[in-house]
Amino acid sequence: EIVLTQSPGTLSLSPGERATLSCRASQSVSSSYLAWYQQKPGQAPRLLIYGASSRATGIPDRFSGSGSGTDFTLTISRLEPEDFAVYYCQQYGSSPRLTFGGGTKVEIK
Amino acid sequence: EVQLVESGGVVVQPGGSLRLSCAASGFTFDDYAMHWVRQAPGKGLEWVSLISWDGGSTYYADSVKGRFTISRDNSKNSLYLQMNSLRAEDTALYYCAKDIGGSGIFGPFDIWGQGTMVTVSS
């Protein structure tokens, strides 16, 4: 099973700042089958990025994904108030064994 | 509107059984694989199970294998999760989620329901 480790656990930033979230896999993720989700309190997760760098439908272009192999990054170029949330990465390259990372909380500084 | 609505979550005793349902609308249900994902209170996401578009293939996380059964009824646009031999560690919010499809493999999930809470406690 591929284990995903997200860092940092919590990121304290101010609106307008840049956020960089990391997701590291215990082994190479096939064909960059890596997705990112956003979850706000009391809500279901929302798909942001798939295929490591493709934005899902309706996702603003301030969200971008990059990386390959074992190291992946989600970048939020300028934080908006609605971006403060928990972010999860997920690998689906070893499908059907799908795994999530432990999450990174982006909080207001 | 594309929508998934889960139901069936309750408080159940350890060792008990429960069946969750997920009603889909707004998309061609039988074109897509479907998944169950759970989230224990205050914790992260855990993939639980998936079923192919036609129900011909099913897969489970090791933590539920042999105890949970996923199924679907395409004539009713519905997904199910039969949960047996429930344990305290199965306590979680259970989400159904639609596979994005089109890639030849399973995942990721582009539509999620709001979840149904299962509490296993005596």
Side-chain angles (χ1 to χ4, degrees):
Chain A
E1 174 182 298
I2 296 179
V3 176
L4 300 178
T5 302
Q6 292 188 240
S7 61
T10 302
L11 197 53
S12 298
L13 295 168
S14 300
E17 289 194 295
R18 181 184 188 90
T20 303
L21 287 66
S22 173
C23 177
R24 180 162 290 178
S26 59
Q27 53 189 283
S28 184
V29 177
S30 173
S31 302
S32 296
Y33 287 139
L34 193 287
W36 291 93
Y37 298 85
Q38 175 194 67
Q39 187 178 34
K40 298 179 183 179
Q43 295 186 19
R46 177 174 70 146
L47 178 65
L48 299 175
I49 301 287
Y50 63 96
S53 61
S54 297
R55 273 187 299 276
T57 302
I59 301 303
D61 60 8
R62 65 180 181 274
F63 291 92
S64 63
S66 63
S68 64
T70 60
D71 290 295
F72 298 87
T73 301
L74 174 69
T75 301
I76 310 171
S77 58
R78 286 179 55 87
L79 282 164
E80 297 288 339
E82 62 268 27
D83 298 337
F84 291 91
V86 179
Y87 293 83
Y88 294 95
C89 58
Q90 177 202 34
Q91 69 78 25
Y92 52 103
S94 65
S95 174
R97 290 193 170 274
L98 304 154
T99 53
F100 289 94
T104 290
K105 181 179 182 180
V106 178
E107 65 175 21
I108 299 176
K109 186 175 181 179
Chain B
E1 180 192 5
V2 177
Q3 196 172 14
L4 297 171
V5 179
E6 302 93 336
S7 61
V10 291
V11 178
V12 61
Q13 291 190 337
S17 297
L18 197 56
R19 188 197 199 203
L20 305 183
S21 299
C22 171
S25 59
F27 65 98
T28 306
F29 183 68
D30 56 11
D31 275 353
Y32 297 95
M34 295 293 294
H35 303 259
W36 287 99
V37 178
R38 68 184 180 184
Q39 186 169 35
K43 302 298 184 182
L45 302 169
E46 180 187 15
W47 172 79
V48 173
S49 182
L50 77 87
I51 187 166
S52 60
W53 66 273
D54 62 351
S57 297
T58 59
Y59 300 94
Y60 302 91
D62 289 344
S63 57
V64 307
K65 196 176 299 182
R67 300 187 299 122
F68 290 10
T69 302
I70 191 171
S71 62
R72 65 191 295 163
D73 185 337
N74 286 345
S75 69
K76 296 182 178 179
N77 288 348
S78 293
L79 175 72
Y80 306 101
L81 186 67
Q82 177 67 42
M83 309 165 68
N84 298 331
S85 303
L86 283 161
R87 306 166 180 168
E89 55 264 36
D90 296 319
T91 294
L93 186 63
Y94 284 74
Y95 294 102
C96 69
K98 171 187 166 291
D99 196 281
I100 198 170
S103 64
I105 64 169
F106 297 113
F109 316 147
D110 62 343
I111 304 296
W112 296 64
Q114 285 305 303
T116 187
M117 187 68 201
V118 173
T119 302
V120 183
S121 174
S122 55

